[in-house]
Amino acid sequence: MSTVAMWWDPSRIEATVTRQFVCSHLLPDEIKRLDLPLGFGDGLTDGTYWEWIDEKAKRIFLILSDLGVPDQIFGLIDDSWDDDDLPIPLDQIERLALTATRDDKFDRRFYSRQFHYLLKFIEKGDHVVYDDPEVVPLNVDKRPGLNLNNAVDRVELPNRPGEIFSRRRIPVGPGPGFLTGEEFIYEINKAKNIENVHLASFFASYTHQGFAYVLFTLPSDFSLKSLLVTMPGPVKSLSKQDRRRLLMNWIHCLVDSLCHLHSRGLSHGNIKPSTILFNSDNHIFYADISRLSVEAIANTSDKSTFDKESYDYAAPEQWYRPSTSHSSIHRKSTLIASSASASTSSDNSSFSISRGGTESITPASMLHSPTPALNPRAVDIFSLGCVILELLSFLLKRQTRNFASHRAAKHKSAGRGGAVLDSSFHKNIGQVEAWMTQLAKEASKKDDQVFRGVAPMLQVVARMLSVVPHERPTAQEVEQCTYRILTENCGIAEPHCVHQYGGWDLGFGNLNISRGGGEGFNISTKRYSGSARPNSRLASYRQLSGSAIQERDMASGSSSAEAMQNVRMNKVRNWQAHIYAGNNDSSPRTNSM
């Protein structure tokens, strides 16, 4: 922080206003008066002036000291003023008789200064309503270059030292693009229930001098959008090996955090490079998902502006109605063909994104045609698949502008001028597949073990980018695939963010990585009518709950120790059999790249 103010909380006031402190502000004759009996009460009290200050008037003494009239404490005590009388209204300060003649300027100074000793500190989850003259206890970082606009800045709370928050000024009122007071309260109450270490989360809010403010955790220094253009210092300073591991861990963190949202019945709804942020510690996180987000604030001024980035990373069903004419038989045959291709491929560079089918529609009509009910979580999966593909491209030093040009290449025509080319993912699936093939081939030439996870991760992305929403994997399935790829292919023994959402039996059975005939990976989908999914790899890295162990013990009659050992061995063997098919030894091996 550029400047840090001294904030007077009760403990600081108590520790500061000692007898020595009081004496340091008084003349010798005034110091002697401290131990005299009070001048009021007609001898009915045996208290002294010092005892009154110590017990009842420390704040008043601090105010008088700030104003240069500490000796006036005796007159105020004689009139029985104490800290409980604060704050004193402006029109009543004249009664204190602090100056020989009326001095409105001095009275205003007293009125303003008293609020520095009557602070209401902001705690987590609070919504504090401050009166206009009150002082909000926070430090604003005013260093040049930090504030992108007047509505967002970085602040620190004196009662939360070392923590930095993003403060946002929310337009509240009757005007266009403003939230009403009721809407604002509704949004902060909703935001309170969403918290994750990889999501900018609500901390507190307050109103002051006609404005509403919200504090969010995790102020950002960079975004993925800026990273894809210029590598910032905190990432650039890492060794190559650490940087590669960081990027793969980032993928897992993003997927895991999306699991958290989806497990609570929520969705992000705005996943794109500019809403994926990270700080100088290389901690990655999503922008928050409420109407209080930075982007929502910025968009209140002009809702008619076309957001090309949102369009490029949007799921196809957000812009046109996907056809459902393709039957499950056709989809199955596509997967079988893909599996056969992957099994016989030596470079694991065959990728097939399920198309479904789309109605013929013009860009102009897409902006106005009604959109059917969306599955917001399936939308998240598609958009995150696009982001993961950008991260894998960055891992292989491919520039995002070249990727965008590659996606739009089919739309180029002779001549000059014309509209901006469509570089969206959902309108250029064939180009995306070709790009993924290039990435897989390039990764296969690298020696670093981290690159061995690129091809299988691309297969996961291929399923995430399915044009048909119901054919995309769930967030849990993507997380479980990602975890396995990081640990067994990339050699990252302890990935970040190994969490569990929605119960221990949400397994891996609906999404299966298989390898046959060498290096080729394929992701196939199985559907079960029951709630439990078989072949979960959960036990391979997460402890079973006590109730789960007990149920298994009762069913098998084995001891707890034996049951746990059997569960672990069986789980490992179930999925290792698919990935490590053909290995003659007992040690896992990753596909060579």
mmCIF file of all heavy atoms in Angstrom, residues 67 94 115 132 134 155 165 177-178 187 201 233 236 243 285 337 361 379 385 412 437 487 498 519 524 590:
data_model
loop_
_atom_site.group_PDB
_atom_site.id
_atom_site.type_symbol
_atom_site.label_atom_id
_atom_site.label_comp_id
_atom_site.label_asym_id
_atom_site.label_seq_id
_atom_site.Cartn_x
_atom_site.Cartn_y
_atom_site.Cartn_z
ATOM 1 N N LEU A 67 -6.817 18.580 18.211
ATOM 2 C CA LEU A 67 -7.216 19.947 17.897
ATOM 3 C C LEU A 67 -6.357 20.988 18.622
ATOM 4 O O LEU A 67 -6.557 22.200 18.446
ATOM 5 C CB LEU A 67 -8.687 20.159 18.249
ATOM 6 C CG LEU A 67 -9.683 19.263 17.496
ATOM 7 C CD1 LEU A 67 -11.101 19.536 17.957
ATOM 8 C CD2 LEU A 67 -9.562 19.456 16.000
ATOM 9 N N GLU A 94 -21.191 23.572 20.056
ATOM 10 C CA GLU A 94 -21.005 24.889 20.692
ATOM 11 C C GLU A 94 -21.183 24.806 22.204
ATOM 12 O O GLU A 94 -20.568 25.570 22.961
ATOM 13 C CB GLU A 94 -21.977 25.897 20.078
ATOM 14 C CG GLU A 94 -21.774 27.321 20.573
ATOM 15 C CD GLU A 94 -22.761 28.301 19.955
ATOM 16 O OE1 GLU A 94 -23.636 27.853 19.178
ATOM 17 O OE2 GLU A 94 -22.664 29.506 20.251
ATOM 18 N N PHE A 115 -15.121 11.172 14.490
ATOM 19 C CA PHE A 115 -15.442 9.915 13.813
ATOM 20 C C PHE A 115 -14.214 9.034 13.600
ATOM 21 O O PHE A 115 -14.356 7.838 13.332
ATOM 22 C CB PHE A 115 -16.144 10.204 12.488
ATOM 23 C CG PHE A 115 -17.510 10.791 12.654
ATOM 24 C CD1 PHE A 115 -17.729 12.142 12.441
ATOM 25 C CD2 PHE A 115 -18.561 9.999 13.083
ATOM 26 C CE1 PHE A 115 -18.988 12.689 12.617
ATOM 27 C CE2 PHE A 115 -19.833 10.541 13.266
ATOM 28 C CZ PHE A 115 -20.053 11.894 13.040
ATOM 29 N N ASP A 132 -22.874 9.632 6.329
ATOM 30 C CA ASP A 132 -21.968 10.416 5.485
ATOM 31 C C ASP A 132 -20.712 10.900 6.204
ATOM 32 O O ASP A 132 -19.605 10.826 5.649
ATOM 33 C CB ASP A 132 -22.711 11.599 4.872
ATOM 34 C CG ASP A 132 -23.670 11.164 3.774
ATOM 35 O OD1 ASP A 132 -23.672 9.957 3.434
ATOM 36 O OD2 ASP A 132 -24.423 12.012 3.259
ATOM 37 N N GLU A 134 -19.121 9.609 8.688
ATOM 38 C CA GLU A 134 -18.308 8.546 9.284
ATOM 39 C C GLU A 134 -17.099 8.232 8.417
ATOM 40 O O GLU A 134 -17.096 8.445 7.196
ATOM 41 C CB GLU A 134 -19.149 7.287 9.499
ATOM 42 C CG GLU A 134 -20.160 7.401 10.623
ATOM 43 C CD GLU A 134 -20.783 6.059 10.957
ATOM 44 O OE1 GLU A 134 -21.825 5.737 10.340
ATOM 45 O OE2 GLU A 134 -20.246 5.338 11.822
ATOM 46 N N VAL A 155 -7.795 -2.517 -1.843
ATOM 47 C CA VAL A 155 -7.830 -1.954 -0.499
ATOM 48 C C VAL A 155 -7.341 -2.985 0.508
ATOM 49 O O VAL A 155 -7.322 -4.192 0.237
ATOM 50 C CB VAL A 155 -9.253 -1.485 -0.114
ATOM 51 C CG1 VAL A 155 -9.759 -0.423 -1.075
ATOM 52 C CG2 VAL A 155 -10.226 -2.661 -0.059
ATOM 53 N N PHE A 165 -7.881 -6.769 -0.825
ATOM 54 C CA PHE A 165 -9.208 -7.018 -1.384
ATOM 55 C C PHE A 165 -9.429 -6.129 -2.603
ATOM 56 O O PHE A 165 -8.826 -5.063 -2.749
ATOM 57 C CB PHE A 165 -10.302 -6.727 -0.344
ATOM 58 C CG PHE A 165 -10.209 -7.577 0.890
ATOM 59 C CD1 PHE A 165 -9.486 -7.132 1.999
ATOM 60 C CD2 PHE A 165 -10.815 -8.812 0.956
ATOM 61 C CE1 PHE A 165 -9.386 -7.904 3.140
ATOM 62 C CE2 PHE A 165 -10.716 -9.607 2.091
ATOM 63 C CZ PHE A 165 -10.001 -9.143 3.181
ATOM 64 N N GLY A 177 -29.312 0.965 -15.941
ATOM 65 C CA GLY A 177 -28.085 0.226 -15.676
ATOM 66 C C GLY A 177 -27.718 0.165 -14.206
ATOM 67 O O GLY A 177 -26.698 -0.426 -13.854
ATOM 68 N N PHE A 178 -28.520 0.760 -13.332
ATOM 69 C CA PHE A 178 -28.251 0.759 -11.903
ATOM 70 C C PHE A 178 -29.025 -0.374 -11.236
ATOM 71 O O PHE A 178 -30.081 -0.794 -11.710
ATOM 72 C CB PHE A 178 -28.665 2.081 -11.267
ATOM 73 C CG PHE A 178 -27.718 3.222 -11.523
ATOM 74 C CD1 PHE A 178 -27.124 3.419 -12.769
ATOM 75 C CD2 PHE A 178 -27.412 4.109 -10.514
ATOM 76 C CE1 PHE A 178 -26.262 4.459 -13.002
ATOM 77 C CE2 PHE A 178 -26.544 5.173 -10.726
ATOM 78 C CZ PHE A 178 -25.966 5.348 -11.972
ATOM 79 N N GLU A 187 -28.274 -9.351 -4.288
ATOM 80 C CA GLU A 187 -27.032 -9.833 -4.906
ATOM 81 C C GLU A 187 -25.957 -10.127 -3.861
ATOM 82 O O GLU A 187 -25.236 -11.126 -3.972
ATOM 83 C CB GLU A 187 -26.520 -8.817 -5.923
ATOM 84 C CG GLU A 187 -27.346 -8.717 -7.188
ATOM 85 C CD GLU A 187 -27.352 -10.005 -7.987
ATOM 86 O OE1 GLU A 187 -26.369 -10.763 -7.933
ATOM 87 O OE2 GLU A 187 -28.355 -10.260 -8.681
ATOM 88 N N SER A 201 -14.318 -14.190 -4.346
ATOM 89 C CA SER A 201 -15.469 -14.432 -3.488
ATOM 90 C C SER A 201 -15.823 -13.195 -2.676
ATOM 91 O O SER A 201 -14.951 -12.398 -2.307
ATOM 92 C CB SER A 201 -15.184 -15.607 -2.544
ATOM 93 O OG SER A 201 -14.831 -16.770 -3.268
ATOM 94 N N GLY A 233 6.011 -11.018 -15.505
ATOM 95 C CA GLY A 233 7.206 -11.350 -14.752
ATOM 96 C C GLY A 233 7.086 -12.555 -13.843
ATOM 97 O O GLY A 233 7.978 -13.425 -13.836
ATOM 98 N N LYS A 236 7.211 -15.570 -16.041
ATOM 99 C CA LYS A 236 8.449 -15.610 -16.806
ATOM 100 C C LYS A 236 9.650 -15.955 -15.941
ATOM 101 O O LYS A 236 10.619 -16.578 -16.406
ATOM 102 C CB LYS A 236 8.670 -14.259 -17.490
ATOM 103 C CG LYS A 236 9.737 -14.262 -18.561
ATOM 104 C CD LYS A 236 9.758 -12.928 -19.295
ATOM 105 C CE LYS A 236 10.756 -12.946 -20.442
ATOM 106 N NZ LYS A 236 10.732 -11.662 -21.196
ATOM 107 N N ARG A 243 7.349 -23.747 -14.834
ATOM 108 C CA ARG A 243 6.309 -23.062 -15.600
ATOM 109 C C ARG A 243 5.375 -24.072 -16.253
ATOM 110 O O ARG A 243 4.152 -23.902 -16.267
ATOM 111 C CB ARG A 243 6.951 -22.170 -16.656
ATOM 112 C CG ARG A 243 5.980 -21.224 -17.355
ATOM 113 C CD ARG A 243 6.696 -20.454 -18.462
ATOM 114 N NE ARG A 243 7.904 -19.831 -17.941
ATOM 115 C CZ ARG A 243 9.041 -19.762 -18.598
ATOM 116 N NH1 ARG A 243 9.145 -20.295 -19.817
ATOM 117 N NH2 ARG A 243 10.102 -19.182 -18.074
ATOM 118 N N PHE A 285 -7.567 -17.916 -10.540
ATOM 119 C CA PHE A 285 -8.942 -17.960 -10.036
ATOM 120 C C PHE A 285 -9.891 -17.369 -11.074
ATOM 121 O O PHE A 285 -9.488 -16.595 -11.951
ATOM 122 C CB PHE A 285 -9.068 -17.209 -8.708
ATOM 123 C CG PHE A 285 -8.563 -15.785 -8.740
ATOM 124 C CD1 PHE A 285 -9.426 -14.725 -8.960
ATOM 125 C CD2 PHE A 285 -7.215 -15.497 -8.551
ATOM 126 C CE1 PHE A 285 -8.974 -13.416 -8.985
ATOM 127 C CE2 PHE A 285 -6.744 -14.196 -8.569
ATOM 128 C CZ PHE A 285 -7.624 -13.151 -8.802
ATOM 129 N N ALA A 337 -15.297 -45.464 -34.158
ATOM 130 C CA ALA A 337 -14.319 -45.139 -35.207
ATOM 131 C C ALA A 337 -13.151 -44.359 -34.622
ATOM 132 O O ALA A 337 -11.991 -44.593 -34.970
ATOM 133 C CB ALA A 337 -15.001 -44.323 -36.307
ATOM 134 N N ILE A 361 -28.323 -20.859 -40.476
ATOM 135 C CA ILE A 361 -28.781 -19.612 -39.885
ATOM 136 C C ILE A 361 -27.749 -18.538 -40.145
ATOM 137 O O ILE A 361 -26.555 -18.793 -40.201
ATOM 138 C CB ILE A 361 -29.011 -19.794 -38.362
ATOM 139 C CG1 ILE A 361 -29.784 -18.618 -37.782
ATOM 140 C CG2 ILE A 361 -27.720 -20.002 -37.623
ATOM 141 C CD1 ILE A 361 -30.324 -18.896 -36.402
ATOM 142 N N VAL A 379 -22.716 -25.459 -20.837
ATOM 143 C CA VAL A 379 -22.101 -24.274 -21.434
ATOM 144 C C VAL A 379 -20.739 -24.012 -20.801
ATOM 145 O O VAL A 379 -19.747 -23.730 -21.494
ATOM 146 C CB VAL A 379 -23.023 -23.048 -21.262
ATOM 147 C CG1 VAL A 379 -22.285 -21.753 -21.610
ATOM 148 C CG2 VAL A 379 -24.273 -23.192 -22.120
ATOM 149 N N GLY A 385 -13.335 -25.830 -21.932
ATOM 150 C CA GLY A 385 -12.557 -26.599 -22.913
ATOM 151 C C GLY A 385 -11.768 -25.683 -23.838
ATOM 152 O O GLY A 385 -10.605 -25.949 -24.164
ATOM 153 N N LYS A 412 -11.796 -16.687 -44.849
ATOM 154 C CA LYS A 412 -11.095 -15.676 -45.620
ATOM 155 C C LYS A 412 -11.488 -15.765 -47.092
ATOM 156 O O LYS A 412 -11.637 -16.849 -47.649
ATOM 157 C CB LYS A 412 -9.584 -15.853 -45.472
ATOM 158 C CG LYS A 412 -9.078 -15.566 -44.057
ATOM 159 C CD LYS A 412 -7.581 -15.738 -43.959
ATOM 160 C CE LYS A 412 -7.095 -15.435 -42.539
ATOM 161 N NZ LYS A 412 -5.631 -15.626 -42.405
ATOM 162 N N THR A 437 -4.441 -31.423 -33.476
ATOM 163 C CA THR A 437 -3.541 -32.408 -34.083
ATOM 164 C C THR A 437 -2.112 -31.881 -34.129
ATOM 165 O O THR A 437 -1.154 -32.604 -33.816
ATOM 166 C CB THR A 437 -4.023 -32.759 -35.502
ATOM 167 O OG1 THR A 437 -5.330 -33.349 -35.423
ATOM 168 C CG2 THR A 437 -3.070 -33.733 -36.171
ATOM 169 N N THR A 487 -1.105 -36.947 -12.803
ATOM 170 C CA THR A 487 -0.332 -37.833 -11.934
ATOM 171 C C THR A 487 0.349 -38.952 -12.701
ATOM 172 O O THR A 487 1.494 -39.307 -12.398
ATOM 173 C CB THR A 487 -1.237 -38.433 -10.844
ATOM 174 O OG1 THR A 487 -2.367 -39.074 -11.459
ATOM 175 C CG2 THR A 487 -1.731 -37.357 -9.897
ATOM 176 N N VAL A 498 -6.922 -30.998 -4.856
ATOM 177 C CA VAL A 498 -7.553 -32.313 -4.888
ATOM 178 C C VAL A 498 -8.705 -32.278 -3.889
ATOM 179 O O VAL A 498 -8.524 -32.471 -2.711
ATOM 180 C CB VAL A 498 -6.564 -33.436 -4.539
ATOM 181 C CG1 VAL A 498 -7.264 -34.773 -4.560
ATOM 182 C CG2 VAL A 498 -5.417 -33.424 -5.531
ATOM 183 N N GLU A 519 0.034 -45.932 -28.567
ATOM 184 C CA GLU A 519 0.048 -44.614 -27.960
ATOM 185 C C GLU A 519 -1.286 -43.900 -28.020
ATOM 186 O O GLU A 519 -1.413 -42.810 -27.508
ATOM 187 C CB GLU A 519 1.092 -43.748 -28.686
ATOM 188 C CG GLU A 519 2.438 -44.423 -28.836
ATOM 189 C CD GLU A 519 3.357 -44.074 -27.704
ATOM 190 O OE1 GLU A 519 3.108 -43.058 -27.068
ATOM 191 O OE2 GLU A 519 4.313 -44.816 -27.471
ATOM 192 N N SER A 524 -14.332 -42.317 -24.293
ATOM 193 C CA SER A 524 -15.660 -42.800 -24.636
ATOM 194 C C SER A 524 -16.600 -42.536 -23.481
ATOM 195 O O SER A 524 -16.182 -42.336 -22.359
ATOM 196 C CB SER A 524 -15.616 -44.307 -24.927
ATOM 197 O OG SER A 524 -15.112 -45.014 -23.817
ATOM 198 N N THR A 590 3.857 -44.099 -18.555
ATOM 199 C CA THR A 590 3.112 -43.139 -19.354
ATOM 200 C C THR A 590 3.511 -43.284 -20.812
ATOM 201 O O THR A 590 4.585 -43.781 -21.131
ATOM 202 C CB THR A 590 3.432 -41.707 -18.892
ATOM 203 O OG1 THR A 590 4.843 -41.512 -18.991
ATOM 204 C CG2 THR A 590 3.003 -41.476 -17.457
#
